[in-house]
Amino acid sequence: MSEMPKGSALPQERRVVTAIPGPKSQELAARKQAAVAAGVGAVMPVFAARAGGGVLEDVDGNSFIDLGSGIAVTSVGNSAEAVVRRAAAQLELFTHTCVMVTPYEGYVEVCEELARLTPGDHAKRSALFNSGAEAVENAVKIARSYTGRQAVVVFDHGYHGRTNLTMALTAKNMPYKQGFGPFAPEVYRVPVAYPFRWPTGPDNCAEEAAAQAIDQISKQVGARNVAAIVIEPLLGEGGFIEPAKGFLPRIAEFARDNGIVFVADEIQSGFCRTGQWFACEDEGIVPDLITTAKGIAGGLPLAAVTGRAEIMDAVHSGGLGGTYGGNPVACAAALGAIETMRELDLNAKARRIEEIMKPRLEKMAQQHGVIGEVRGRGAMIAVELVKPGTKEPDPEATAAVARHCHQAGVLVLTTGTYGNVVRFLPPLVIGEDLLNEGLDVVEEALASLG
Ligand SMILES: Cc1ncc(COP(=O)(O)O)c(C=O)c1O
């Protein structure tokens, strides 16, 4: 078999050479249907062959502009040089020891980086895991152990994962929770400041939502029973909702005043995605604990809980862990990803992506009444689609836009509680021409709605 060119060597171009899906993807789809559980769905009807920088090539030779990054994971680009170099070197040394059996330096180095990069200059500790959901579960375990309390407060439109506890923390039923109950107890959901859909309008959204949330916690749960408040500073699966300014600081203050551990879930929004290392920095929030995953390791599975030393160290020895958590190859990849973020100043790149995307999308919003709102920060940008002249969600138009983009060689994702948000999560290394070409296709897709 001839050697396949590396992902990193792929031409950065959009190229559609077959129908989408092409014949080889169709063949694989039939095999998938026969061998893979139906519950494992797929957004795109094509199978990946290689990916590098800002493009993904399928098995039929089509090259897609990647505006999804495998759901905010390959922020440094697919097969980034430093990620491949460091992970490959680690693969040659050892693949696994289990950190609970024989620790290794890479694990410690990632935790040292997390202490440096996360907000706040207090003493910190970290623990590493395999997935975002696992990190959130462990943040709750740690908060319960530290406070001796049980209740966990989460928010409307929040998403925290698909394990039993994190399903309970997640707001949306379909597809995440339907038929999978019963869910973990002692989880309470309160309103979030969603400016576009706040009943009295965006102006007083922050104060009103915070007052309602605090009232519900105080009256229905009792602040002294709450171990943790868990919130995404920029809500991902809920529809890239930016809580109205002032909401997060008010909730963080309430947590501080009541001895509640404030957990920022930055699994989707972290690691340069919003133009800073973490989205909560925007309002000067210093969380007690922060959960990270996705962008941290350039595509290898790694997740972390980082936080105040006294909270993290409240758990007895052996209370945190797992066979694979902080795998050495994933740690090496994370160090490569962080090196890339620093060297290429990917925070600046994310801000540049916002500078390009937002004005273009705002212009499209003026021309197409289907766009209700353009929002997001850095390279975490979305459009919420509605029936023109109303705020009624339009999931059908959203699906049609995504389908048009896919057929034309642009990988976009949809999201949102109402399934009516097209979200853009380009790799931060994407070329500006490629990004603009992707937006041209989005514009065509909107025009095609008629
Ligand atoms: C904010 C947030 N938390 C938790 C998770 C769960 O992460 P994972 O899919 O790695 O378990 C996600 C995944 O999308 C997420 O966006």
Side-chain angles (χ1 to χ4, degrees):
M1 195 174 129
S2 65
E3 198 170 305
M4 281 270 241
K6 289 179 182 166
S8 56
L10 279 179
Q12 298 294 296
E13 66 180 18
R14 176 169 67 107
R15 195 176 61 240
V16 179
V17 293
T18 69
I20 304 293
K24 289 185 181 158
S25 279
Q26 287 186 35
E27 238 178 84
L28 282 165
R31 281 173 53 196
K32 176 175 182 275
Q33 200 180 5
V36 178
V40 183
V43 170
M44 286 274 288
V46 301
F47 279 71
R50 297 175 295 170
V55 299
L56 183 147
E57 197 178 280
D58 76 5
V59 287
D60 291 290
N62 300 297
S63 175
F64 294 84
I65 299 176
D66 182 5
L67 300 184
S69 299
I71 322 188
V73 171
T74 50
S75 300
V76 293
N78 237 306
S79 293
E81 186 277 330
V83 171
V84 173
R85 170 170 41 82
R86 290 203 189 218
Q90 180 59 47
L91 274 167
E92 300 274 2
L93 294 176
F94 60 93
T95 48
H96 173 82
T97 62
C98 186
V99 79
M100 300 181 301
V101 176
T102 317
Y104 35 87
E105 187 176 356
Y107 190 112
V108 178
E109 245 182 299
V110 170
C111 296
E112 288 168 348
E113 285 286 20
L114 283 162
R116 274 191 284 273
L117 296 173
T118 52
D121 51 13
H122 48 276
K124 294 176 199 159
R125 307 276 189 270
S126 289
L128 305 183
F129 304 96
N130 303 293
S131 68
E134 215 188 327
V136 175
E137 291 243 9
N138 277 279
V140 171
K141 280 167 64 174
I142 294 162
R144 283 178 169 159
S145 176
Y146 174 70
T147 58
R149 306 171 178 179
Q150 293 187 354
V152 181
V153 170
V154 288
F155 292 82
D156 286 339
H157 309 287
Y159 179 86
H160 302 287
R162 296 169 178 267
T163 56
N164 187 264
L165 175 58
T166 57
M167 275 192 293
L169 302 180
T170 288
K172 189 175 173 180
N173 179 51
M174 270 301 275
Y176 309 123
K177 301 165 77 161
Q178 176 61 38
F180 300 145
F183 303 112
E186 285 304 316
V187 172
Y188 300 90
R189 189 173 310 287
V190 298
V192 74
Y194 182 174
F196 183 67
R197 295 200 173 274
W198 194 252
T200 60
D203 292 349
N204 299 318
C205 172
E207 303 89 81
E208 289 178 14
Q212 284 184 23
I214 289 168
D215 185 66
Q216 286 184 21
I217 299 168
S218 308
K219 299 292 184 301
Q220 297 176 21
V221 194
R224 66 182 169 173
N225 296 317
V226 181
I229 293 178
V230 184
I231 188 162
E232 299 158 84
L234 201 164
L235 287 81
E237 304 303 301
F240 284 21
I241 300 165
E242 293 179 87
K245 288 263 179 283
F247 179 78
L248 288 172
R250 180 72 193 99
I251 298 294
E253 177 187 51
F254 173 77
R256 197 167 49 243
D257 290 348
N258 290 281
I260 299 168
V261 176
F262 182 86
V263 183
D265 181 348
E266 294 252 14
I267 284 163
Q268 190 156 163
S269 56
F271 280 99
C272 307
R273 179 53 55 188
T274 65
Q276 58 235 301
W277 284 99
F278 297 98
C280 62
E281 289 170 50
D282 237 15
E283 288 189 273
I285 307 272
V286 178
D288 297 315
L289 300 181
I290 183 163
T291 54
T292 53
K294 290 190 181 278
I296 190 176
L300 275 84
L302 190 73
V305 183
T306 301
R308 295 184 188 281
E310 66 276 18
I311 301 177
M312 294 294 296
D313 283 345
V315 178
H316 50 277
S317 178
L320 302 176
T323 303
Y324 294 115
N327 167 272
V329 182
C331 285
L335 294 169
I338 293 167
E339 176 189 321
T340 308
M341 290 174 203
R342 279 208 187 91
E343 270 183 10
L344 301 183
D345 192 358
L346 292 190
N347 280 318
K349 296 254 190 218
R351 292 195 292 270
R352 176 72 189 137
I353 287 170
E354 176 178 343
E355 263 172 34
I356 294 173
M357 294 196 77
K358 270 219 165 142
R360 285 204 60 184
L361 291 168
E362 307 272 10
K363 200 158 161 233
M364 290 180 216
Q366 280 162 17
Q367 284 154 0
H368 302 280
V370 73
I371 298 185
E373 190 177 50
V374 178
R375 58 177 180 251
R377 299 204 288 276
M380 191 169 178
I381 303 282
V383 289
E384 175 158 358
L385 302 192
V386 292
K387 303 264 159 67
T390 75
K391 287 197 173 175
E392 192 187 332
D394 196 340
E396 293 79 21
T398 309
V401 167
R403 210 166 32 244
H404 183 106
C405 289
H406 297 166
Q407 294 294 323
V410 178
L411 199 169
V412 296
L413 303 172
T414 61
T415 189
T417 300
Y418 311 108
N420 67 327
V421 175
V422 182
R423 60 171 154 176
F424 304 103
L425 292 161
L428 307 180
V429 296
I430 194 168
E432 293 190 11
D433 288 351
L434 211 56
L435 181 61
N436 271 308
E437 193 179 332
L439 287 168
D440 293 343
V441 172
V442 172
E443 199 164 359
E444 279 167 30
L446 288 162
S448 77
L449 293 174

